[in-house]
Amino acid sequence: MLERRFATLDVFTDTPLAGNPLAVVLDAEGLTGEAMQAIAREFNLSETVFVLPPEESRHRARLRIFTPARELPFAGHPTVGTAVLLALRDRAERQAAALVDAAAFGLEEAIGTLACAVEAAEDGRSARARFKLPVLPTYFGEARAKDALAGVLGLKPAEIGFNRHQPSRHGAGPSFTFVPLASGEALTRARLDAGRFERMFPQGQADALYLYALDPEGVGHRYQARMFAPHLGVAEDPATGSAAAAFAGALMQFEPLGEGTHDVVIRQGVAMGRPSTIDLQLVISEGALRSVEIGGQAVVVSEGVLRVG
């Protein structure tokens, strides 16, 4: 039986016991996919990351990411959290007083290599990371009708949609059905009907549902969000970086964004008592989306050793 180091972090927050919890298993060489899936079920968090040597030596690591139910090609909060953890460990091993401002490396995931940059906080337990998507969001076609979505969420059809925003489907890896809601109150009140969810989506073709509304507490491009993915073993997620990345596609579809750089702030997890803040940046040139970056903070909560085969 081998000992394998692990750490847990809270991601998209600088406060322990807020944000989205993440488990990161280091020394994952030799673990089969089945073993990784079993460990992910044991942690029972929205995602667990397994760190492996990179396929290309110029990169920092290769990651495999599992929900309690399945492996994912990409996920945002595991990328941010793992980037923070590896940067902090690199600093500790070098016994450096602080991370250099330009701490940057590539993390290999099934979707491609993500270029990450990390800036450490003074406490040595937290940092801010950001990464650029290797692929741009894809439009996956029309979403289900408002009546069906309202029934699944315990809402009225009239509560779905605001301004130009209507239900849509986009993905940057995993696919999401984006459901704009007319008010923050409707967002808080929404409740997923698991039975209706299963009947709405054919077997193996379910989308996660990403609900969003304008954030009344901010100005500019600020949104509140919630995410439900029962088919992935995630009843509700406190912060979903991959959905935020795909949300760039919805913004391109419904917002009159002009040329240049656009910064978007998404608050998620408030209804769960785990407030999270995700930074999304879009760069538009000649009327087209050219790049998408996701950023946020993460803090190390615990470290330990797994004893598994």
Side-chain angles (χ1 to χ4, degrees):
M1 184 172 292
L2 299 177
E3 294 186 344
R4 301 174 190 274
R5 297 169 297 164
F6 76 90
T8 65
L9 302 93
D10 286 331
V11 184
F12 293 124
T13 181
D14 61 355
T15 304
L17 308 184
N20 199 352
L22 173 73
V24 180
V25 178
L26 301 157
D27 317 312
E29 285 184 279
L31 289 175
T32 64
E34 291 77 10
M36 292 180 186
Q37 186 66 76
I39 292 170
R41 284 196 298 268
E42 180 73 14
F43 277 114
N44 200 32
L45 300 176
S46 55
E47 281 104 6
T48 297
V49 177
F50 297 86
V51 180
L52 297 158
E55 293 183 353
E56 294 189 27
S57 59
R58 61 193 177 93
H59 298 148
R60 177 60 179 82
R62 179 168 65 92
L63 310 185
R64 293 184 67 178
I65 303 169
F66 288 78
T67 75
R70 56 175 285 193
E71 185 172 5
L72 299 178
F74 157 71
H77 105 273
T79 303
V80 167
T82 305
V84 165
L85 178 65
L86 295 178
L88 291 175
R89 293 185 69 87
D90 289 347
R91 184 185 74 169
E93 290 176 1
R94 292 195 306 267
Q95 296 183 340
L99 281 174
V100 295
D101 292 340
F105 45 73
L107 293 179
E108 300 171 358
E109 300 181 19
I111 196 175
T113 300
L114 288 82
C116 303
V118 184
E119 301 171 3
E122 294 181 358
D123 59 14
R125 301 284 295 177
S126 64
R128 174 177 291 276
R130 68 182 187 276
F131 64 87
K132 184 176 181 179
L133 264 69
V135 297
L136 294 175
T138 299
Y139 174 64
F140 282 108
E142 295 184 1
R144 295 297 194 278
K146 284 186 179 182
D147 288 355
L149 292 170
V152 167
L153 298 170
L155 299 174
K156 299 176 182 178
E159 294 179 294
I160 295 180
F162 65 83
N163 299 339
R164 301 179 183 182
H165 289 249
Q166 298 296 327
S168 62
R169 297 182 67 234
H170 299 268
S175 61
F176 296 88
T177 290
F178 289 92
V179 186
L181 298 182
S183 68
E185 187 274 333
L187 182 69
T188 300
R189 184 163 35 86
R191 295 291 182 272
L192 182 73
D193 185 321
R196 289 193 177 194
F197 180 90
E198 290 181 3
R199 292 192 293 273
M200 184 170 68
F201 289 103
Q203 184 70 26
Q205 299 182 29
D207 283 349
L209 298 182
Y210 189 84
L211 286 55
Y212 66 97
L214 291 172
D215 190 340
E217 296 183 12
V219 295
H221 295 298
R222 296 181 65 94
Y223 299 88
Q224 300 174 349
R226 298 177 69 185
M227 199 283 284
F228 303 106
H231 61 300
L232 300 178
V234 180
E236 182 171 357
D237 198 26
T240 318
S242 56
F247 186 48
L251 293 175
M252 289 295 294
Q253 184 176 358
F254 298 114
E255 285 291 318
L257 299 175
E259 300 286 293
T261 300
H262 301 270
D263 292 311
V264 178
V265 177
I266 302 170
R267 290 198 304 144
Q268 193 177 336
V270 176
M272 302 175 65
R274 298 193 66 98
S276 309
T277 302
I278 302 173
D279 298 323
L280 168 66
Q281 186 178 87
L282 295 74
V283 176
I284 299 173
S285 175
E286 298 180 350
L289 182 63
R290 302 299 180 182
S291 72
V292 176
E293 287 194 6
I294 297 292
Q297 294 180 289
V299 56
V300 178
V301 176
S302 69
E303 297 178 77
V305 174
L306 285 172
R307 293 178 175 85
V308 295

